[in-house]
Amino acid sequence: MTKEKIVQTWRESEEQVVWQGRFIATKQRGNWEYVSRARNIRAAVILAIDEEDHVLLVEQYRVPLKRICLELPAGLVGDSDDNADEVATDAARRELIEETGYDAARMEVVGEFYSSPGMVTESFTLLRAHGLTKVGPGGGVDDEEIITHRVALADIGAFVAARRAEGMAIDVKLLMLLAPQIIARG
């Protein structure tokens, strides 16, 4: 059996929008297909750890996965005409309150990251929330039905394993919380 070499045409090609909706666009450049956020919308992801070393996690149904996913709180930055000029720190604070019911005295920008750069151009700004205070019920807006979990960092591995065993999807960003335990296994 012989393998045919795939000719890479993306270097010489212009980006083409194949389809665009309200929030995403599918694109092609040569033989490379990928997805982008429409209107350069970005995301803010919040690492919220309180003074007692508990992290806030959320679970919500994700339509593409057809199941519930365990995640860090997150949301889109500037996702509507009303807040098109929103900055990541403001979006993170808004989303933290909406999803978890906690407010942060301060948001620290950790950096910009890409979760699946071979397929999606979307980036997210990771922010560390400091000085957490419970201010509301959380649960999200509209029909989100978000459930908030406050989990001791020492128990994060067991908590994630239990949720995975229940059939829950686990967001890749939780790896930063699991990494110390994975590395310690050697």
Side-chain angles (χ1 to χ4, degrees), residues 27 50 114 124 159:
K27 298 180 178 182
D50 65 21
Y114 298 85
F124 64 90
F159 183 83

Side-chain angles (χ1 to χ4, degrees), residues 8-71:
Q8 299 293 328
T9 60
W10 58 268
R11 293 184 206 309
E12 299 83 28
S13 301
E14 294 293 320
E15 180 179 82
Q16 303 294 318
V17 175
V18 177
W19 175 86
Q20 182 167 327
R22 182 174 167 212
F23 291 104
I24 63 168
T26 56
K27 298 180 178 182
Q28 187 166 1
R29 185 170 173 182
N31 57 343
W32 201 278
E33 299 170 339
Y34 51 99
V35 177
S36 294
R37 283 281 183 189
R39 304 181 324 270
N40 295 315
I41 295 172
R42 295 174 295 113
V45 176
I46 305 104
L47 178 59
I49 302 172
D50 65 21
E51 286 75 22
E52 297 171 351
D53 279 340
H54 286 78
V55 64
L56 298 179
L57 302 176
V58 296
E59 67 177 65
Q60 61 183 311
Y61 186 81
R62 292 300 193 178
V63 173
L65 303 178
K66 299 180 187 127
R67 60 186 176 156
I68 295 171
C69 188
L70 185 65
E71 311 170 355

Side-chain angles (χ1 to χ4, degrees), residues 110-125:
V110 175
E112 186 173 359
F113 297 87
Y114 298 85
S115 57
S116 187
M119 186 180 82
V120 180
T121 65
E122 178 186 43
S123 67
F124 64 90
T125 302

Side-chain angles (χ1 to χ4, degrees), residues 24 34 62 100 108 120 140 144 163 171:
I24 63 168
Y34 51 99
R62 292 300 193 178
T100 70
E108 172 189 0
V120 180
E144 287 183 314
R163 292 307 181 271
D171 183 66

Side-chain angles (χ1 to χ4, degrees), residues 154-171:
D155 299 334
I156 195 71
F159 183 83
V160 170
R163 292 307 181 271
R164 181 178 282 123
E166 294 170 1
M168 194 175 291
I170 308 299
D171 183 66

